[in-house]
Amino acid sequence: MTLPYRHVLVTGGAGFVGSRLCLRLRREFEGLRVTALDNLVRRGSELHIRPLREHGVDFVHGDIRCPEDLAALPAFDLLLECSAEPSVHAGQSGSPVGVVHNNLTGALHCLEAARQNGAAVLFLSTSRVYPIAHLRALRHTEAETRLELTAEQELPGCSHAGIAEGFPLDGARSFYGMTKLAGEALIQEYVFTYGMRALIDRCGVIAGPGQMGKADQGVVTLWAARHVYGRPLKYIGFGGHGKQVRDVLHVDDLCDLVVLQLQSPSIWDGRIYNAGGGAAHSASLLELTGLCRELSGQKVEIASEPATAAVDVPIYVTDNALVERELGWQPRRDVPTTLGEILAWIRDHRDELRPVLDS
Ligand SMILES: NC(=O)c1ccc[n+]([C@@H]2O[C@H](COP(=O)([O-])OP(=O)(O)OC[C@H]3O[C@@H](n4cnc5c(N)ncnc54)[C@H](O)[C@@H]3O)[C@@H](O)[C@H]2O)c1
């Protein structure tokens, strides 16, 4: 298959999503040059460099906070912006300067580099752009193992199916979420002012092999790793019952979506898609524990901490109706499949991953 692009730059290209996208693009599009730029700040991202190079991806150690690192790159005509400090807890106990500088100033530098190269931009945004108070106000019922959205909702843009693009955006959302929403707003200015071709995917929880999960980001890997290495876990917040729910998007479903988007030139007008696992591919922490026990054959101790962090929300499920209608995309991989692949990946690289996932 060929594309109207010759050289794609993936910022955050050694990260979980970025590295998977690099490999997929090399496999899918013959002759496409792919460069991964990453400052390797995420622990474990260095482990992705060897497979990237083995599959013909150029790796550049660089930082999006430094415009000169982007200016030194060979010309590119497509940018996939996958770099970030991706934790919603970033800046919560201390200064927000680091996360804002990294994610927002960094995104501005990426957009400037793209403008100077005449490149199209795909920006990986987040469901965390939606305000915490509105997400906490979602009507839900409590079932035996999970919370469930009710059919009747007060706010626009939400239903039994989840959160759609029309969900209200007024209110606080965490510094992380703010940097992403501000990044989206910057992109819209670049589209308006310079005619930049751009697209924004707002994703919920993304999971799959290759994610260097830690306590504050990458919950599915965290859960799987603790079961493999036999370490305790904790249900935190909302009473400490583990009934909070997220939908889970397999990283390969996201790659399928990006491939489809690259082949759909008419949609690159700055539009925004919510893209997630959806209601069919969602799980509570309790259910994740049950699946981990079943698939790993291990049982670990799980403590309970009732107090809720300021940035936590009880339930988030993506309504994929728009992207499904416009592109015919649907996530295909269910939670047990995703979890099974993560468990297999950790087991297969048990010793190599131990310093990252068991610390
Ligand atoms: N993983 C998820 O559940 C999820 C959900 C929604 C949105 N996203 C978004 O998707 C993107 C990719 O997330 P991920 O899960 O792959 O995270 P990740 O941490 O695995 O990857 C991000 C990469 O960016 C690199 N990076 C960070 N700051 C950098 C900088 N200043 N310069 C260069 N490289 C830098 C890190 O070293 C890391 O390798 C992020 O923008 C994130 O906000 C992720």
Side-chain angles (χ1 to χ4, degrees), residues 82 107 145 155 174 190 226 249 260 333 335:
C82 304
T145 60
L155 292 165
S174 77
Y190 273 78
R226 295 283 168 94
L249 177 63
L260 208 56
R333 291 136 176 118
V335 178

Side-chain angles (χ1 to χ4, degrees), residues 11-19 37-46 48 60-66 69 81-87 101-103 106 123-128 176 180 201-207 210-212 214 217-219 249 251 254 275:
T11 43
F16 165 49
V17 176
S19 62
L37 178 134
D38 203 296
N39 70 354
L40 303 179
V41 70
R42 180 70 182 253
R43 219 163 148 221
S45 57
E46 67 284 357
H48 290 303
V60 176
H61 189 195
D63 196 310
I64 60 165
R65 288 169 297 187
C66 307
D69 286 3
E81 218 299 65
C82 304
S83 69
E85 162 48 78
S87 171
H101 187 45
N102 198 71
N103 292 4
F123 183 63
L124 273 195
S125 189
T126 171
S127 58
R128 284 301 190 158
Y176 166 65
K180 289 294 184 172
D201 287 326
R202 278 184 190 155
C203 300
V205 167
I206 308 167
Q211 183 172 37
M212 306 300 171
K214 53 193 176 95
Q217 206 265 338
V219 63
L249 177 63
V251 66
L254 176 59

Side-chain angles (χ1 to χ4, degrees), residues 26-226:
R26 280 291 299 160
R27 205 169 64 233
E28 195 87 27
F29 303 110
E30 212 185 321
L32 181 68
R33 181 173 178 190
V34 180
T35 297
L37 178 134
D38 203 296
N39 70 354
L40 303 179
V41 70
R42 180 70 182 253
R43 219 163 148 221
S45 57
E46 67 284 357
L47 299 176
H48 290 303
I49 296 175
R50 191 164 55 90
L52 286 173
R53 288 193 165 136
E54 279 170 4
H55 289 86
V57 176
D58 296 325
F59 174 75
V60 176
H61 189 195
D63 196 310
I64 60 165
R65 288 169 297 187
C66 307
E68 59 276 18
D69 286 3
L70 295 162
L73 296 169
F76 58 92
D77 48 12
L78 174 67
L79 169 68
L80 308 185
E81 218 299 65
C82 304
S83 69
E85 162 48 78
S87 171
V88 71
H89 297 279
Q92 293 299 310
S93 57
S95 166
V97 170
V99 60
V100 174
H101 187 45
N102 198 71
N103 292 4
L104 188 52
T105 314
L108 176 64
H109 292 158
C110 288
L111 289 171
E112 262 307 277
R115 182 184 68 80
Q116 285 157 10
N117 278 272
V121 173
L122 174 75
F123 183 63
L124 273 195
S125 189
T126 171
S127 58
R128 284 301 190 158
V129 298
Y130 298 116
I132 291 163
H134 291 328
L135 291 174
R136 286 194 179 178
L138 289 172
R139 289 188 180 160
H140 59 262
T141 53
E142 190 174 330
E144 200 182 326
T145 60
R146 61 154 65 199
L147 306 177
E148 277 170 1
L149 289 174
T150 57
E152 297 297 316
Q153 294 287 341
E154 230 166 286
L155 292 165
C158 63
S159 69
H160 202 231
I163 309 301
E165 293 79 356
F167 197 70
L169 282 168
D170 57 308
R173 52 186 53 76
S174 77
F175 285 106
Y176 166 65
M178 179 283 292
T179 61
K180 289 294 184 172
L181 187 63
E184 292 184 5
L186 268 177
I187 288 173
Q188 279 158 353
E189 297 304 324
Y190 273 78
V191 170
F192 179 75
T193 309
Y194 307 113
M196 176 178 273
R197 300 177 61 248
L199 207 53
I200 295 161
D201 287 326
R202 278 184 190 155
C203 300
V205 167
I206 308 167
Q211 183 172 37
M212 306 300 171
K214 53 193 176 95
D216 64 348
Q217 206 265 338
V219 63
V220 186
T221 297
L222 176 78
W223 237 250
R226 295 283 168 94

Side-chain angles (χ1 to χ4, degrees), residues 207-353:
Q211 183 172 37
M212 306 300 171
K214 53 193 176 95
D216 64 348
Q217 206 265 338
V219 63
V220 186
T221 297
L222 176 78
W223 237 250
R226 295 283 168 94
H227 280 79
V228 171
Y229 295 110
R231 305 279 180 207
L233 278 163
K234 207 185 256 187
Y235 298 133
I236 302 174
F238 307 103
H241 308 303
K243 290 193 181 181
Q244 55 266 60
V245 167
R246 297 290 185 272
D247 61 341
V248 178
L249 177 63
H250 192 298
V251 66
D252 289 340
D253 278 324
L254 176 59
C255 290
D256 290 347
L257 173 62
V258 172
V259 166
L260 208 56
Q261 291 174 326
L262 293 177
Q263 294 167 315
S264 311
S266 64
I267 63 170
W268 290 69
D269 55 6
R271 78 183 68 179
I272 296 170
Y273 292 115
N274 278 8
H281 305 314
S282 64
S284 68
L285 290 177
L286 260 181
E287 292 165 349
L288 207 52
T289 301
L291 282 170
C292 280
R293 285 180 181 167
E294 189 185 315
L295 296 172
S296 72
Q298 294 266 11
K299 195 171 173 180
V300 302
E301 193 188 311
I302 309 205
S304 171
E305 189 176 309
T308 307
V311 291
D312 208 354
V313 296
I315 183 162
Y316 188 88
V317 174
T318 311
D319 183 348
N320 287 314
L322 180 68
V323 65
E324 196 180 325
R325 195 166 61 242
E326 293 198 356
L327 294 174
W329 174 86
Q330 273 186 330
R332 292 186 292 130
R333 291 136 176 118
D334 60 17
V335 178
T337 304
T338 306
L339 188 60
E341 287 183 22
I342 296 170
L343 285 164
W345 166 66
I346 300 173
R347 276 199 218 98
D348 290 351
H349 301 85
R350 198 185 175 99
D351 294 334
E352 187 186 24
L353 289 173

